[in-house]
């Protein structure tokens, strides 16, 4: 039976091929003029019809995700993308190419390492601690996760997918909760952005993370409360690595969509997405600033991502996403000057809010999370706006606490697990595994008697806020989920979302509503206006997530916030 692709109800019969060979041409392959593309079929087009159109355009199908009408294709034709876009049965082709590597340090998430005047301060935090470093986790206290775990620490049957750069399962706080059976890598290394491959196949082993970002996210969600290191929001849930990001931090369309489809097939309960799909900060249907081929590429990205998100949601996955670090109202976006971030030089692109999407956070069924600092104030970098925000959560803010001794201190950020070798590459840990002088207040090392050690560092961003919300979502499923068919366990994503919103701690807009960050050293481009009321507004959505209220408040079916 031919499979057809629609946004509302996608085909589910095909089995997704997940071998290293099907995911991409190994970076160690011999030089070739062949290029790799992700091609998306139009709605209602049968798979064999789409394949025929791809062949007619000069492409060879390497693998397919029939559930979302997406194909990985190689072609040596210089005009393949244009021919694919011209085919009536195909939306377009997105070429997988890049220029150079991502900067070693992220300007937002690692701001403290880029600021020469950074202070080492260790702001005092109070609350019940379970692990030695928990007193540094002000975010757990803000969302009352320290109290919530006494009621519901999480259920091992509940699985949280970390769709990110990987997860370092060797960390003693990650290891107890890491689900080896379900974890997968969908993103082979690519030498153009990741550097030389570590293994011949270029497909890193599950349980590794050469970027660090995913391990940090995983620790916030579900680091074990085991008397060692630190603990996460939901310290007893199972963590599933869904590696869809490159080591360098890029997130390509093909691995991300495959990871979402796999999450749906595998019964993952919650998926955290702290990224946007490269190379376009906003994917637009027909931006006049873009070439016809770029327009077709973006239409393909929009269609594939929306199909994948709908598919995962319909399969029972609660989707949580970072709202973004571009300090803008997503309902009134500025001109995009950062795209494309690979493949070509960026150029100014006026953004029409009605025809452009920041994906996945603006995609269907995604719970969008903004970031606040220890004071509860919206972080200067955090995106906002009533159109897309759902809730707020602790994401860290290095510049929080103006005119206090905590201003511009590492302790204002989010501490979580991190791979030792990445810290060594960044220069904060030496070859012997010891913390380099000057980093003692930003990097922490904990060792067991048997010599097994874990490493931890501070980051900030909506990437750090989203896993706090994902952890609360996992606690909701743990508390109120029900046994499902074939030994499964879970809860409707709509119910999880409603309960998350209903139990969030309401937070009114600040006064004045137009917030400026001059004291923090920011110019007028960071000015942010908070629209809305106490129940829902553009800075906090329905409120700051509250783990304790989420596990103590009785579930109301079909309730609205």
């Amino acid at each position: 039976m031919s499979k057809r692709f629609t946004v509302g109800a996608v085909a589910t019969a095909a089995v997704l091929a997940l071998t290293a060979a099907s995911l991409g041409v190994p970076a160690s392959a011999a030089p070739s003029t062949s290029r790799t593309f992700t091609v998306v079929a139009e709605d209602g087009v049968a798979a064999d019809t789409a394949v025929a159109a791809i062949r007619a355009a000069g492409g060879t199908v390497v693998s397919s995700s029939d559930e979302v009408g997406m194909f990985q294709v190689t072609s040596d034709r210089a005009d393949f993308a244009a021919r694919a876009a011209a085919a009536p049965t195909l939306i377009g082709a997105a070429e997988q190419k890049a220029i150079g590597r991502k900067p070693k340090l992220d300007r937002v998430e690692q701001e403290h390492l880029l600021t020469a005047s950074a202070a080492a301060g260790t702001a005092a935090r109070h609350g019940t601690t379970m692990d030695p470093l928990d007193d540094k986790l002000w975010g757990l206290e803000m969302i009352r996760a320290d109290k919530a775990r006494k009621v519901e620490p999480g259920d091992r049957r509940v699985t949280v997918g970390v769709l990110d750069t990987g997860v370092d399962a060797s960390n003693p706080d990650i290891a107890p909760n890491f689900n080896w059976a379900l974890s997968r890598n969908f993103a082979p290394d690519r030498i153009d952005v990741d550097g030389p491959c570590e293994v011949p196949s270029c497909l890193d082993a599950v349980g590794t993370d050469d970027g660090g970002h995913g391990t940090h996210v995983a620790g916030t969600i579900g680091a074990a409360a085991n008397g060692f290191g630190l603990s996460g929001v939901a310290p007893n849930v199972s963590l599933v690595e869904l590696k869809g990001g490159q080591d360098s931090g890029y997130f390509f369309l093909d691995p991300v969509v495959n990871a979402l489809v796999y999450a749906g097939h595998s019964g993952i309960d919650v998926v955290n997405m702290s990224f946007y799909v490269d190379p376009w900060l906003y994917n637009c249907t027909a931006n006049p600033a873009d070439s016809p081929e770029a327009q077709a590429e973006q239409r393909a990205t929009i269609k594939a991502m929306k199909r994948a998100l709908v598919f995962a949601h319909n399969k029972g996955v609660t989707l949580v996403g970072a709202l973004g670090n571009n300090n803008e109202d997503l309902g009134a976006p500025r001109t995009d000057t950062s795209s494309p971030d690979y493949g070509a030089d960026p150029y100014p692109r006026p953004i029409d809010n009605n025809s452009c999407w920041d994906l996945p956070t603006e995609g269907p069924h995604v719970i969008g999370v903004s970031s606040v600092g220890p004071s509860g104030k919206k972080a200067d970098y955090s995106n906002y706006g009533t159109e897309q925000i759902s809730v707020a959560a602790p994401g860290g803010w290095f510049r929080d606490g103006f005119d206090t001794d905590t201003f511009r201190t590492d302790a204002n950020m989010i501490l979580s697990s991190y791979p030792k070798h990445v810290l060594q590459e960044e220069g904060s840990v030496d070859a012997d595994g010891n913390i380099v002088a000057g980093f003692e207040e930003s990097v922490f090392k904990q060792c067991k008697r048997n010599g097994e050690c874990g490493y931890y560092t501070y980051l900030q961003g909506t990437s750090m806020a989203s896993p706090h919300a994902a952890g609360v979502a996992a606690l909701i499923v743990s508390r109120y989920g029900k046994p499902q068919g074939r030994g499964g366990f879970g809860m409707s994503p709509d119910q999880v979302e409603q309960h998350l919103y209903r139990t969030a701690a309401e937070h009114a807009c600040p006064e004045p509503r137009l917030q400026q960050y001059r004291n923090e050293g920011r110019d007028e481009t960071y000015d942010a206006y908070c629209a809305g009321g106490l129940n829902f507004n553009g800075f906090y959505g329905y409120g700051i997530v509250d783990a304790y209220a989420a596990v103590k408040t009785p579930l109301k079916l079909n309730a609205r916030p």
Side-chain angles (χ1 to χ4, degrees):
M1 179 179 179
S2 295
K3 302 173 183 66
R4 297 182 181 274
F5 316 114
T6 63
V7 174
V10 292
T12 61
V15 177
L16 182 65
L18 300 174
T19 64
S22 72
L23 284 167
V25 179
S28 58
S32 170
T33 59
S34 180
R35 296 181 294 165
T36 303
F37 299 84
T38 298
V39 179
V40 180
E42 288 280 7
D43 289 342
V45 173
D48 52 359
T49 302
V51 171
I54 291 169
R55 289 172 178 166
T60 300
V61 174
V62 177
S63 67
S64 66
S65 301
D66 290 347
E67 299 86 346
V68 294
M70 187 179 77
F71 304 83
Q72 187 172 87
V73 176
T74 59
S75 177
D76 56 7
R77 290 193 64 111
D79 61 348
F80 173 76
R83 289 167 63 90
T89 56
L90 304 176
I91 296 174
E95 184 178 356
Q96 299 180 11
K97 60 183 178 180
I99 51 168
R101 300 189 67 183
K102 184 182 178 183
K104 190 172 183 180
L105 298 178
D106 185 281
R107 68 175 183 85
V108 172
E109 293 182 358
Q110 296 174 302
E111 180 187 0
H112 61 313
L113 301 181
L114 295 168
T115 306
S117 59
T122 54
R125 310 295 179 198
H126 304 285
T128 301
T129 62
M130 294 192 70
D131 287 351
L133 297 177
D134 280 359
D135 62 345
K136 304 179 187 300
L137 305 186
W138 57 268
L140 289 189
E141 183 178 350
M142 175 179 282
I143 68 171
R144 300 201 291 174
D146 51 344
K147 294 182 64 177
R149 69 182 54 176
K150 297 175 182 178
V151 178
E152 177 57 75
D155 190 306
R156 189 71 63 199
R157 295 173 294 178
V158 175
T159 50
V160 183
V162 182
L163 208 176
D164 217 293
T165 60
V167 176
D168 179 10
S170 71
N171 185 292
D173 269 326
I174 301 295
N177 293 340
F178 190 76
N179 189 314
W180 290 93
L182 290 177
S183 293
R184 297 288 188 276
N185 180 355
F186 302 91
D189 289 343
R190 296 181 53 190
I191 58 174
D192 54 356
V193 291
D194 301 321
C197 297
E198 293 87 353
V199 295
S201 69
C202 293
L203 192 70
D204 293 341
V206 163
T208 63
D209 180 9
D210 293 326
H213 192 272
T215 301
H216 199 280
V217 166
T220 296
I221 295 170
N226 54 2
F228 177 91
L230 50 73
S231 59
V233 174
N236 279 10
V237 299
S238 294
L239 298 171
V240 179
E241 175 190 345
L242 302 175
K243 188 180 189 307
Q246 305 302 130
D247 297 345
S248 52
Y250 288 106
F251 285 79
F252 293 91
L253 175 64
D254 198 73
V256 170
V257 168
N258 284 338
L260 286 168
V261 171
Y262 173 80
H265 277 308
S266 302
I268 306 298
D269 294 295
V270 180
V271 168
N272 184 83
M273 301 176 291
S274 291
F275 60 88
Y276 71 85
V277 178
D278 296 297
W280 307 98
L281 177 60
Y282 289 94
N283 285 274
C284 305
T285 55
N287 193 323
D290 298 327
S291 68
E293 289 183 18
Q295 291 177 5
E297 173 185 319
Q298 292 169 61
R299 288 195 294 271
T301 298
I302 293 167
K303 185 68 72 173
M305 282 299 298
K306 288 186 175 182
R307 286 173 178 169
L309 292 167
V310 169
F311 176 83
H313 173 83
N314 289 344
K315 287 289 190 175
V317 181
T318 296
L319 301 163
V320 184
L323 211 58
N325 298 337
N326 207 40
N327 51 280
E328 67 180 326
D329 182 345
L330 289 178
R334 300 188 301 268
T335 296
D336 173 20
T337 59
S338 65
S339 301
D341 63 3
Y342 73 89
D345 293 331
Y347 52 88
R349 306 171 63 236
I351 299 300
D352 171 34
N353 187 53
N354 294 321
S355 61
C356 300
W357 287 266
D358 180 356
L359 296 167
T361 193
E362 292 191 301
H365 308 297
V366 177
I367 298 169
V369 188
S370 69
S371 175
V372 301
S375 68
K377 188 175 180 179
K378 184 190 82 69
D380 56 5
Y381 58 78
S382 179
N383 287 349
Y384 60 98
T386 56
E387 182 180 279
Q388 298 299 337
I389 194 171
S390 302
V391 290
W397 184 24
F398 178 66
R399 303 184 186 214
D400 203 357
F402 175 74
D403 208 22
T404 74
D405 59 3
T406 65
F407 180 55
R408 298 173 74 92
T409 60
D410 296 344
N412 287 333
M413 303 171 75
I414 302 299
L415 184 68
S416 190
S417 46
Y418 214 68
K420 179 179 73 172
H421 72 282
V422 178
L423 292 170
Q424 290 173 323
E425 292 171 1
E426 293 175 355
S428 56
V429 171
D430 65 23
D432 296 324
N434 299 313
I435 298 171
V436 173
F439 291 93
E440 296 90 347
E441 298 298 335
S442 62
V443 176
F444 298 87
K445 175 183 178 182
Q446 294 267 301
C447 295
K448 295 182 176 181
R449 291 181 179 178
N450 64 2
E452 185 181 10
C453 299
Y455 291 80
Y456 310 85
T457 195
Y458 286 104
L459 295 177
Q460 68 175 8
T462 56
S463 284
M464 286 65 247
S466 182
H468 281 86
V472 177
L475 290 178
I476 292 171
V477 180
S478 298
R479 185 69 169 166
Y480 303 107
K482 301 293 183 183
Q484 297 181 343
R486 296 186 179 181
F489 184 84
M491 183 175 172
S492 160
D494 291 331
Q495 291 182 359
V496 176
E497 182 179 4
Q498 291 168 14
H499 195 69
L500 183 73
Y501 297 167
R502 193 166 65 89
T503 58
E506 293 180 339
H507 198 298
C509 283
E511 291 295 342
R513 284 177 176 257
L514 179 62
Q515 287 290 288
Q516 298 178 332
Y517 298 91
R518 301 299 186 275
N519 290 333
E520 291 81 12
R522 299 303 197 185
D523 63 20
E524 67 278 0
T525 62
Y526 284 81
D527 291 357
Y529 182 83
C530 183
L534 176 63
N535 178 256
F536 183 82
N537 59 67
F539 280 13
Y540 302 97
Y542 289 105
I544 298 174
V545 294
D546 187 331
Y548 184 66
V551 299
K552 286 288 288 183
T553 305
L555 185 69
K556 288 185 178 180
L557 299 181
N558 300 318
R560 297 304 303 171

